[in-house]
Every structure is written in structure tokens, then in C-alpha cells.
């Protein structure tokens, strides 16, 4: 996820700005970036959404104080988790701010007034191993959500009765309030925007018009998906109140760490141990892949920590671009225990390399003493390659 701009910066106000100053600056900016004034300008839409998101937080004293304390993390912990946060869709902005726009003559989203709002989005997560992420897979998710009540068909009214027009707002779902020199329309408190009231409630849903359900969905996970990315199933979220359209279902993907491969974006990294003799003389070694294996030629004189790249053996790109690479880091193994023959060969090697090594069976106590006094032994061994 790209890093988010500071909300105060977005609204061009200082951290100590009053709510009036924030509102004033916000209104200026939304007029500037309003899609009606900038047809086809993607950047303006992004700015517009950014402003709306920033204003949603900074105009609410609770959210603002959480934002001041914890930054974006403090106000983004909602249904979409660390994923997208904020507004997904330009229409969401109108849902949240339509009232305000009508207040200063920009016009809200048509057809919303008194109509049925869209249901909330839901989020679930699935966990994959790295191999599943590389190949793509299908995963079943279980979602607890609400659908329109079968008894009242989502109206919330007892069968045989009907919801009545709200008297408080005359069925508009909105009431006008004067705030300073602005006329601001807000959601009707009596009917919560639906424009209707239910006198006798449906007994099965207590008037909510909604019924809980547990649904299973099989999600196709594209090959190459990375930890923290989300997929969206449109219309699989909560049903909208009063028969409104359903929200979306977001599937947050988690990918477990692999015991051998470490992922960095499209690339994989693994460490492969080889022996001193292989490093010095060169060798063809077997490299494990997520699926299968591959041979890699190591030239004579390979150094510990040296990296080799096997092209195209990393992770695929979920959007079908290039496949990443496998980076192999060479580790040179030092044997922990030596057989007699092995030890003799190494002593000959040390003689040839003219390096000082411990004599055979030096006592442990003597080794410590030598180490402390800086006596015979250790220094020579570590510096082999510099001689
Ligand atoms: Zn019902
Ligand atoms: Zn009302």
C-alpha cells in the first residue's frame, strides 16, 4: 500500500486548526476537485477522495484525537483492516458527504435521498503457504452476514402491514439544519434516513428487515498474490437496509513465512550451504525451488555471501507481468566434527597455506588460556583469505 498523506496536509491546515478552519478549507478543496468540475481527471478524483477521507477523520473530535495519537493506524482499524481503508469508490464519498454537498449547492448523488443505502462491506482473511501463493489456488471462506428477511421481504414490517412515511421528515430521509450561513441537510433522526417508520415490526427480524446467514464462497486466489493484498467479491457483503444493494466482501490474503524461501516482492531469496572445497574449486550444486529443483554452476573461488540469480524462478505477478527471480546466497559450511582422514587432509592444507592451526588434541583449558593471553593459535586461522 502506498504511504498515505498526512490528513492535515491533505486539507492544507495546521495541526492546531479549529473545526471551523478545517471545514472551510475542506469546502474550498472539494469545490476545486469536485468531479463535476474536473471531468475525466483521475488525479482530481484521487484528491477529492483524499480530502473526503481526511475530513471524515478531522471533523470528528474522537477520530481526530485518535489520529493525532496514533496516525493513520488509529483511524483505519475498521472493517477493511490495514488494506485499503477509507473510501473505495467515488460513490462512497457521495454516500458520506452527499448531505453536505447539497448544503452548498454542488448536488449530491442522485436518487439517494429517502432511498435505500448500500450495505456495509465485510472482510475475512485467508492464509496461504508460499507455494499456494506461487501457483494460485482456490480457498473456501465462510462469511457471517445478513440478507433481506424472508418473512417481510426486507421491509421490516409485519406481514400484512407496510412501513409508513416518516412524519418528521415527510419521507425525505433528510432534515435541513442551519449551521452558520450554510444550510446543511442531515439524516433524519426519526427514521435514520430511510424516510419510513415501521409501526408493527416483523417478528422474525424485529423490524430490521435483515436475517443472519452463514455463507461459504470459494475464492480464486491468483498466482503471485502477496501477503497483505486483498481481493474483492462485489456484492457479497452485508445486504443494504430497506432492500438496498449489498456491500462488498474483501478477502485479505495472508501468506505464511516459508522455512527456506524468503520473499521480497516478486523475488525469492534462499541460502544454500556449500563446502570450502566446492567454493574453492567450483561445483554444480542443486538448488531447491518452490516446485522442483534446479542446478546451479558455482565458479571456482566463490566467496561466502556471494549471490547468484536464477531468472524466472521467483514469484509470478498476479497481474501477469514478469516472473521474479530466485536469488541464491552462498554459505560456506565449516564441518563441526572431522573424521581422522578429513582432519589429516585439512592439516596438510594448513601446512600448504602456511597458516597456524591448533595442534591435535589441545586441551580445552589451554585453548582458553591461549585465547585470553592472545597466545598461539586463533589469529592466523580467521585471516586465511588475506594471505
Ligand atoms: Zn422481517
Ligand atoms: Zn424521517
Amino acid at each position: 500500500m502506498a504511504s498515505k498523506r498526512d490528513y492535515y496536509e491533505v486539507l492544507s491546515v495546521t495541526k492546531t486548526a479549529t473545526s471551523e478552519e478545517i471545514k472551510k478549507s475542506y469546502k474550498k478543496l472539494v469545490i476545486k476537485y469536485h468531479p463535476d468540475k474536473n471531468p475525466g481527471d483521475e488525479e482530481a478524483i484521487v484528491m477529492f477522495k483524499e480530502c473526503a477521507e481526511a475530513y471524515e477523520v478531522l471533523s470528528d473530535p474522537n477520530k481526530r484525537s485518535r489520529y493525532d495519537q496514533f496516525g493513520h493506524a488509529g483511524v483505519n482499524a475498521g472493517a477493511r483492516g490495514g488494506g485499503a481503508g477509507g473510501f473505495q469508490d467515488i460513490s462512497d464519498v457521495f454516500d458520506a458527504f452527499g448531505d453536505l454537498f447539497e448544503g452548498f449547492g454542488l448536488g449530491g448523488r442522485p436518487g439517494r435521498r429517502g432511498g435505500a443505502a448500500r450495505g456495509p462491506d465485510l472482510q475475512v482473511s485467508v492464509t496461504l503457504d508460499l507455494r499456494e501463493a506461487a501457483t494460485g489456488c482456490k480457498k473456501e471462506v465462510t462469511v457471517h452476514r445478513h440478507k433481506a428477511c424472508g418473512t417481510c421481504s426486507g421491509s421490516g414490517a409485519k406481514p400484512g402491514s407496510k412501513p409508513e412515511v416518516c412524519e418528521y421528515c415527510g419521507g425525505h430521509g433528510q432534515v435541513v439544519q442551519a449551521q452558520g450561513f450554510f444550510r446543511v441537510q442531515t439524516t433524519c433522526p426519526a427514521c435514520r434516513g430511510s424516510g419510513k417508520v415501521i409501526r408493527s415490526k416483523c417478528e422474525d427480524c424485529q423490524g430490521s428487515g435483515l436475517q443472519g446467514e452463514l455463507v461459504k464462497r470459494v475464492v480464486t486466489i491468483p498466482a503471485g498474490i502477496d501477503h497483505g493484498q486483498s481481493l474483492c467479491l462485489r456484492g457479497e457483503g452485508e445486504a443494504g437496509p430497506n432492500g438496498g444493494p449489498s456491500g462488498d466482501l474483501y478477502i485479505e490474503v495472508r501468506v505464511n513465512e516459508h522455512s527456506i524461501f524468503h520473499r521480497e516482492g516478486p523475488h525469492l531469496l534462499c541460502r544454500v550451504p556449500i563446502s570450502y572445497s566446492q567454493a574453492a574449486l567450483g561445483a554444480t550444486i542443486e538448488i531447491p525451488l518452490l516446485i522442483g529443483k534446479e542446478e546451479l554452476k558455482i565458479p571456482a573461488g566463490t566467496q561466502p555471501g556471494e549471490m547468484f540469480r536464477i531468472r524466472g524462478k521467483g514469484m509470478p505477478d498476479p497481474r501477469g507481468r514478469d516472473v521474479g527471480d530466485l536469488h541464491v546466497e552462498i554459505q560456506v559450511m565449516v564441518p563441526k566434527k572431522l573424521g581422522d582422514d578429513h582432519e589429516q587432509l585439512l592439516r596438510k592444507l594448513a601446512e600448504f597455506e602456511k597458516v597456524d592451526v591448533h595442534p591435535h588434541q589441545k586441551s580445552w583449558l589451554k585453548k582458553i588460556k591461549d585465547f585470553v593471553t592472545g597466545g598461539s593459535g586463533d589469529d592466523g586461522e580467521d585471516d586465511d583469505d588475506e594471505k
Side-chain angles (χ1 to χ4, degrees), residues 199-210:
R199 299 250 179 262
S200 42
K201 291 177 178 172
C202 165
E203 281 164 14
D204 286 347
C205 62
Q206 281 81 44
S208 69
L210 297 171

Side-chain angles (χ1 to χ4, degrees), residues 358-371:
H358 289 302
H360 188 63
Q361 284 188 334
K362 201 178 204 175
S363 82
W364 181 76
L365 207 66
K366 177 90 167 53
K367 281 187 223 170
I368 296 283
K369 218 173 135 194
D370 286 347
F371 177 71

Side-chain angles (χ1 to χ4, degrees), residues 87-168:
F87 297 96
Q88 292 296 311
D89 193 294
I90 190 82
S91 61
D92 292 355
V93 182
F94 284 111
D95 277 345
F97 297 96
D99 306 346
L100 198 48
F101 293 137
E102 284 174 29
F104 50 96
L106 282 166
R109 189 191 197 183
R112 180 177 179 265
R113 181 185 290 196
R118 182 171 167 276
D121 294 335
L122 289 174
Q123 187 183 26
V124 291
S125 65
V126 292
T127 303
L128 317 176
D129 60 39
L130 191 60
R131 195 180 154 140
E132 288 175 311
T135 57
C137 59
K138 288 188 191 294
K139 287 273 170 184
E140 190 180 79
V141 295
T142 305
V143 190
H144 184 255
R145 67 181 186 193
H146 293 86
K147 61 174 181 180
C149 168
T151 310
C152 61
S153 309
S155 74
K158 205 172 197 165
S161 75
K162 270 187 181 171
E164 291 166 28
V165 172
C166 171
E167 287 169 3
Y168 193 86

Side-chain angles (χ1 to χ4, degrees), residues 259-310:
S259 56
I260 297 176
F261 298 103
H262 174 71
R263 179 177 188 174
E264 266 169 28
H267 304 305
L268 292 175
L269 174 89
C270 74
R271 294 197 174 94
V272 172
I274 62 172
S275 73
Y276 171 80
S277 51
Q278 285 177 309
L281 302 171
T284 299
I285 56 172
E286 204 166 76
I287 304 295
L289 302 175
L290 266 178
I291 299 152
K293 57 197 174 190
E294 180 126 335
E295 286 189 336
L296 177 67
K297 268 195 183 148
I298 305 282
T302 292
Q303 301 299 309
E306 211 165 295
M307 304 286 291
F308 293 89
R309 179 163 63 173
I310 304 180

